[in-house]
Amino acid sequence: MKQISQYKLILFTAFLFAIFYNFSFFKNILITYPNEGLNIIYISSTFILLVSFIVFVFTLLSSKYTTKPLLILTLVVSAFTAYFMDTYHIVIDDSMIRNSLQTNLSESSDLFTPKLIVYVLILAIVPTYFIFKTKIEYKSFKEESFKKLKTLFLSLVIILIILFSFSKFYTSFFREHKSLRFHINPIYWIYSIGNYVNKTLTSGPIIVKEIGKDAIIKVDISGKTEKTKIVIMVVGEAARADRFSLNEYGKETNPLLKKEEITNFSNMYSCGTSTAESVPCMFSMFGRADYDYKKGISTENILDVLKHTNDIKILWRDNNSDSKGVALRVDFEDYRTSKTNTICDEECRDEGMLVGLNEYIKNNQGKNILIVLHQMGNHGPAYYKRYPKEFEKFTPVCKSNQLEQCTQEEVSNAYDNAILYTDYFLSKVINFLKPYSNDYETAMLYMSDHGESLGENGIYLHGLPYFMAPDEQKHIGSLMWFGGEIKDEINVEKLNTYKNQSFSQDNLFHTLLGLFEVETTVYKKEMDILYNANKPQ
């Protein structure tokens, strides 16, 4: 094979990226700027600009020892990126990278499809083989340095000419349509990795800041002996509010919950659009506007504050990926395996997390108890796996993880069946608590971590940056149930008068403190959903 310079190889690879790996990018440009009139020239200029920018970046990083490995690695990652962007219309930002790294193998396997194999074969294996076999001609250091500077200069000149020649277009492109750049492959995922590293890495060992060390359970001044509480907090997965019949959805997805005395919060919103972001945020003292990953891992959460009272026992059972760092300092049990979960078929079921809880309560008599159950819920894209077959009420269903190959009705039916199973699971939690309501004050809180896109506007799954995510990914299912003498403290009728107000996961931290009647300086009554429904003591 004839030898070529590394800069010609970089130029060739840049054209590959622009032509074959950026379908989503150019598709979104055409949606924003119709292919007519001057827009044809503008859109054409973005192609040249993209090629020039890729050439500039890779030339800057090129050397005898880095060019081939860098191009091969970038092509492989970009092949996967192109698949997920083209198939599910997601973007690969720092939050998505964190979510991917924290996802277990069984969850990831749902994303592997024959279409992915085709993408990897055509966009990863074939071009990387070509690059690997290509012989690069390296000249003297002086000549290579001159060629490098010349390539950098020419690519930069082209970039500047395009930007200045079409300045009005690119002002609109960068200011008014920021989301377009999230689809640029490989530039945006490379930037996102840098952003992830910057947000994640610390300069030394993580020192967790203690909060709420003053936390104590409020003493009843009347001298009345208070019953201890058993509260089960269910963390849902990808359950969007508009698929609950409790929220007037056309299909009956909550036949069991509607028979219970529950308070449904129809306007609850998530802190993020992915599990890795929302779960730590919802248990954090920080609201969505102030929360970030470093704050989350370096500051105690609501479970720690409740634990500081020395009067509340806390157990986290997980049938999802894990607690995302929330349960590091409390009792944790993994229920994703048949070794612990006794109700498993195609996969381990959420209801298996209830088995053995009677023993836990018995072993902690005299203590207030908080049990957190983290569901598998509606984890996509294989919604048909998320429920036992007897819950397949809505048909036909999508029996594939390639959602784009199913009809909208089939995707919706599979998802709705998983909501139906969550309805069953939550009713089972309520019925588990009812026998304890004679001796304990009991309550169940349910809150999903985020919502889910089901093909609306061609978007599937979740994880889009919050500012550009559709309502379906942020508007979540949430409800509460109260049993026993806790109703002497909470005026449920009053609560129902404002249950449809706008709430968010920011309220959870303070609501749990209020529910357990914990006094601490970190408690904010105005953030406690139940505060205005508290009966005078």
Side-chain angles (χ1 to χ4, degrees), residues 13 65 134 190 266 307 324 354 401 411 445 482 494 537:
T13 307
Y65 303 103
T134 299
I190 292 174
S266 61
K307 188 177 177 181
K324 308 305 178 187
L354 293 173
N401 52 0
V411 174
L445 283 67
F482 304 100
K494 177 73 178 296
Q537 298 296 310

Side-chain angles (χ1 to χ4, degrees), residues 40 117 167 239 271 275-276 291 332 349 361:
I40 297 174
I117 295 172
S167 58
C271 182
T275 305
Y291 177 83
F332 177 90
R349 300 301 176 191
I361 294 171

Side-chain angles (χ1 to χ4, degrees), residues 247-266:
N247 293 320
E248 300 182 355
Y249 181 47
K251 297 178 188 174
E252 185 58 88
T253 54
N254 303 125
L256 299 176
L257 286 175
K258 76 175 184 180
K259 299 176 183 178
E260 303 291 346
E261 295 180 12
I262 57 105
T263 299
N264 176 58
F265 297 94
S266 61

Side-chain angles (χ1 to χ4, degrees), residues 421-441:
Y421 179 61
T422 286
D423 173 77
Y424 166 77
F425 172 63
L426 294 179
S427 70
K428 199 164 183 178
V429 173
I430 291 171
N431 283 301
F432 171 84
L433 287 170
K434 283 179 179 177
Y436 287 102
S437 297
N438 294 324
D439 301 311
Y440 293 85
E441 295 180 352

Side-chain angles (χ1 to χ4, degrees), residues 340-355:
T340 50
N341 194 329
T342 59
I343 304 179
C344 299
D345 41 56
E346 189 174 7
E347 64 181 28
C348 288
R349 300 301 176 191
D350 291 332
E351 59 186 297
M353 291 189 287
L354 293 173
V355 178

Side-chain angles (χ1 to χ4, degrees), residues 366-400:
K367 291 279 189 179
N368 291 284
I369 295 172
L370 171 63
I371 297 167
V372 182
L373 305 178
H374 189 192
Q375 282 186 275
M376 176 57 78
N378 280 60
H379 196 286
Y383 306 119
Y384 69 99
K385 293 182 179 179
R386 303 290 96 93
Y387 53 86
K389 297 309 174 189
E390 59 266 28
F391 287 86
E392 197 162 277
K393 174 183 176 182
F394 308 111
T395 57
V397 302
C398 180
K399 296 281 189 179
S400 170

